[in-house]
């Protein structure tokens, strides 16, 4: 079953969903274009380049809360979401759409036997929320080519950003990004850039005049101008000789450029809208600065992705009863150095306070599939299990006692 076949299932007896605030549950996508700004593009690129490093995994929690990796059909789709995209392409598309529209929609395509086959990010131009007589919600998506389809809302992955006023969509009350405040800053930034451009152009304009203290006819004026132009082109010393008839009168032009502090203030004011500090943008950050960026900006997005995928792909019974989840592991985003991680896990393993899977996940790797192995507590004596280390110590003590 393909993506469009999935939409062809006919839904009848649907009406627009009730909205508490009285607004219509019909939302057109695409807000004002703030993405022409180079600073905005650079800020979003910082976030999206980091998010592309995520490793989505199907995991299962046991009754003790330990995670184990599940290598099944769902995991295969996470590794290869659809015929057109790699995993990093897929994540990049989702996050770009999230910042463009404050809403990102992904359609899971299920095959025979309820097997997940593909995941498709879609970009509708209009979204309608509907409900049937039983109160179940449906979502109707209309696209730029006028194709439209309706499906159960619980079957679609819907990731929201700035989910505040509207009941269904991220963004403002109309379900769109509200960039009014940011647009004012971008306008100010544009005015400054135009001013700098005009100042540079002005610096190449006429800088003075040459007054000839005699009367010249038209032909002599043309010849004098030609000689002056030639002298300017050939001049390398910075000094221009003139005879007694000529007098150079400079224009006292004062070109005002924008100072560094003002430019930095405007850039940082724009960047704050996206939670990207200037040192992150330039790459001149240290470990603690990246840790703050991760916790403030990246981690909330990662949590939103994980929970939205889990909610749509698994039933309530599978998620709550059996602990199935989709987790986006930040393997390449960890801000601790390798040496710091080794010291951290060495401390935990000294007292038998860490399992194999906790160690693997902490180092940014997926947990092992075997629950017995993965959830075994380890100690630092060659990283054996707690029980084996205890047995080894008992045997050593027994041997010393008999000796």
């Amino acid at each position: 079953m393909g993506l469009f076949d999935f939409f062809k299932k006919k839904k009848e007896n649907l009406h627009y969903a009730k909205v508490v605030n009285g607004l219509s549950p019909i939302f057109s996508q695409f807000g004002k274009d703030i993405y022409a700004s180079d600073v905005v593009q650079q800020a979003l690129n910082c976030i999206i380049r980091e998010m592309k490093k995520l490793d989505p995994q199907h995991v299962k929690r046991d009754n003790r809360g330990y995670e184990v990796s599940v290598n099944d059909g769902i995991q295969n789709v996470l590794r290869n979401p659809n015929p057109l995209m790699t995993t990093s392409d897929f994540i990049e598309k989702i996050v770009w759409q999230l910042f463009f529209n404050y809403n990102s929609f992904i359609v899971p395509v299920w095959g025979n036997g309820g097997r997940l086959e593909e995941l498709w990010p879609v970009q509708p131009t209009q979204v309608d929320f509907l409900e049937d007589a039983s109160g179940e919600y449906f979502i109707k998506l209309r696209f730029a080519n006028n194709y439209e389809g309706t499906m159960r809302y619980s079957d679609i992955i819907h990731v929201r950003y700035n989910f505040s006023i509207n009941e269904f969509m991220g963004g403002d009350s109309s379900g769109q990004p509200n960039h009014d405040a940011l647009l004012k800053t971008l306008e100010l930034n544009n005015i400054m850039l135009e001013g700098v451009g005009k100042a540079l152009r002005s610096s190449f304009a006429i800088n003075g005049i040459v007054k000839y203290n005699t009367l010249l006819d038209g032909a002599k004026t043309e010849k004098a101008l030609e000689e002056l132009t030639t002298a300017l082109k050939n001049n390398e010393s910075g000094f221009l000789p003139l005879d007694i008839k000529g007098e150079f009168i400079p224009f006292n032009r004062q070109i005002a450029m924008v100072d560094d502090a003002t430019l930095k203030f405007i850039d940082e004011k724009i960047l704050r809208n996206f939670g990207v500090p200037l040192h992150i943008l330039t790459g001149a950050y240290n470990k603690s600065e990246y840790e703050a960026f991760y916790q403030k900006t990246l981690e909330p997005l990662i949590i939103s992705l994980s929970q939205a995928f889990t909610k749509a792909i698994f039933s309530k019974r599978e998620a709550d009863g059996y602990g199935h989840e989709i987790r986006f592991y930040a393997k390449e985003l960890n801000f601790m150095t390798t040496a710091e991680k080794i010291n951290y896990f060495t401390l935990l393993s000294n007292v038998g306070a860490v399992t194999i899977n906790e160690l693997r996940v902490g180092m940014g790797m997926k947990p092992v599939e075997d629950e017995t192995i993965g959830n075994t507590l380890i100690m630092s004596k060659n990283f054996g299990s707690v029980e084996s280390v205890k047995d080894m110590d008992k045997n050593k003590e027994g041997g010393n006692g008999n000796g």
Side-chain angles (χ1 to χ4, degrees):
M1 180 183 294
L3 174 62
F4 292 105
D5 293 326
F6 191 73
F7 277 123
K8 287 178 181 177
K9 298 177 181 179
K10 191 174 182 180
K11 315 294 188 301
E12 298 180 356
N13 300 322
L14 300 178
H15 57 272
Y16 286 118
K18 297 182 182 68
V19 182
V20 175
N21 59 18
L23 297 174
S24 172
I26 304 172
F27 308 99
S28 61
Q29 295 286 274
F30 311 114
K32 294 180 180 179
D33 186 13
I34 62 170
Y35 304 98
S37 166
D38 61 328
V39 182
V40 171
Q41 290 183 15
Q42 291 168 23
L44 294 183
N45 275 327
C46 277
I47 297 172
I48 291 164
R49 279 198 300 267
E50 297 302 305
M51 296 293 287
K52 284 181 65 173
K53 301 174 184 178
L54 295 174
D55 183 20
Q57 293 288 328
H58 176 195
V59 299
K60 180 182 177 183
R61 288 183 180 272
D62 63 16
N63 53 11
R64 294 176 295 173
Y66 292 140
E67 292 180 5
V68 293
S69 179
V70 181
N71 192 14
D72 60 353
I74 292 175
Q75 183 58 49
N76 291 336
V77 174
L78 293 173
R79 293 193 192 103
N80 186 25
N82 60 65
L84 299 180
M85 301 177 189
T86 64
T87 301
S88 62
D89 293 335
F90 177 70
I91 295 173
E92 182 174 16
K93 188 76 169 177
I94 292 170
V95 181
W96 267 117
Q97 288 182 355
L98 192 60
F99 282 106
F100 270 128
N101 303 312
Y102 284 14
N103 294 275
S104 185
F105 297 98
I106 304 99
V107 177
V109 177
W110 302 88
N112 296 328
R115 182 183 179 87
L116 183 64
E117 293 184 344
E118 296 172 353
L119 289 168
W120 287 95
V122 295
Q123 191 164 344
T125 56
Q126 182 173 313
V127 180
D128 301 350
F129 283 86
L130 311 168
E131 62 178 319
D132 63 11
S134 68
E136 183 176 10
Y137 288 111
F138 291 79
I139 187 169
K140 181 179 181 180
L141 305 177
R142 184 176 289 113
F143 300 91
N145 61 358
N146 292 324
Y147 182 87
E148 60 182 39
T150 304
M151 59 188 295
R152 287 185 177 85
Y153 181 63
S154 59
D155 290 336
I156 195 169
I157 301 171
H158 183 193
V159 189
R160 290 171 281 216
Y161 183 67
N162 281 1
F163 184 40
S164 56
I165 301 174
N166 195 278
E167 296 173 48
F168 297 104
M169 302 277 279
D172 60 17
S173 59
S174 62
Q176 293 190 12
N178 187 342
H179 294 142
D180 290 346
L182 178 57
L183 284 169
K184 291 179 181 178
T185 306
L186 292 177
E187 183 181 1
L188 179 59
N189 184 63
N190 187 57
I191 291 172
M192 285 199 310
L193 291 176
E194 287 182 351
V196 171
K198 289 178 180 178
L200 289 174
R201 286 192 295 271
S202 176
S203 67
F204 295 108
I206 297 173
N207 293 312
I209 61 173
V210 175
K211 177 182 177 184
Y212 290 96
N213 298 313
T214 184
L215 294 175
L216 298 175
D217 60 24
K220 291 182 178 179
T221 301
E222 291 290 338
K223 184 179 179 182
L225 180 61
E226 183 178 343
E227 291 175 352
L228 178 63
T229 302
T230 301
L232 287 171
K233 288 181 179 179
N234 296 333
N235 177 49
E236 294 181 355
S237 66
F239 295 94
L240 184 66
L242 293 172
D243 60 20
I244 193 171
K245 296 180 295 182
E247 178 185 356
F248 179 75
I249 305 174
F251 288 159
N252 187 19
R253 182 186 295 110
Q254 294 182 348
I255 301 174
M257 302 292 284
V258 181
D259 60 276
D260 292 343
T262 302
L263 287 173
K264 183 179 179 183
F265 170 76
I266 295 297
D267 281 347
E268 290 185 340
K269 187 173 176 60
I270 296 171
L271 294 173
R272 280 199 300 270
N273 285 272
F274 303 98
V276 180
L278 190 58
H279 47 257
I280 294 292
L281 184 70
T282 60
Y285 56 83
N286 55 37
K287 183 183 75 69
S288 61
E289 290 169 340
Y290 184 85
E291 178 180 355
F293 170 60
Y294 174 84
Q295 292 180 347
K296 180 178 184 295
T297 303
L298 301 181
E299 191 173 31
L301 294 174
I302 295 171
I303 292 172
S304 294
L305 288 177
S306 298
Q307 293 180 351
F309 273 69
T310 299
K311 186 177 180 64
I313 290 178
F314 300 112
S315 66
K316 185 175 179 60
R317 182 168 178 265
E318 289 172 327
D320 296 343
Y322 293 95
H324 288 276
E325 295 181 41
I326 301 297
R327 294 286 303 275
F328 284 76
Y329 287 101
K331 175 182 177 181
E332 302 298 335
L333 303 184
N334 291 325
F335 38 80
M336 291 177 66
T337 65
T338 302
E340 288 171 333
K341 292 177 185 177
I342 292 173
N343 291 336
Y344 175 74
F345 285 110
T346 298
L347 176 64
L348 293 178
S349 65
N350 282 337
V351 293
V354 63
T355 67
I356 291 176
N357 273 345
E358 286 173 333
L359 175 60
R360 288 178 60 85
V361 171
M363 296 297 289
M365 300 181 290
K366 68 177 184 179
V368 298
E369 298 176 39
D370 190 306
E371 295 186 31
T372 303
I373 296 175
N375 295 335
T376 300
L377 288 168
I378 57 175
M379 294 186 75
S380 59
K381 289 187 177 181
N382 296 323
F383 288 98
S385 68
V386 170
E387 296 303 321
S388 64
V389 171
K390 287 180 179 178
D391 291 341
M392 183 172 59
D393 289 340
K394 287 180 181 178
N395 292 335
K396 180 184 287 188
E397 291 173 1
N400 291 336
N402 292 331

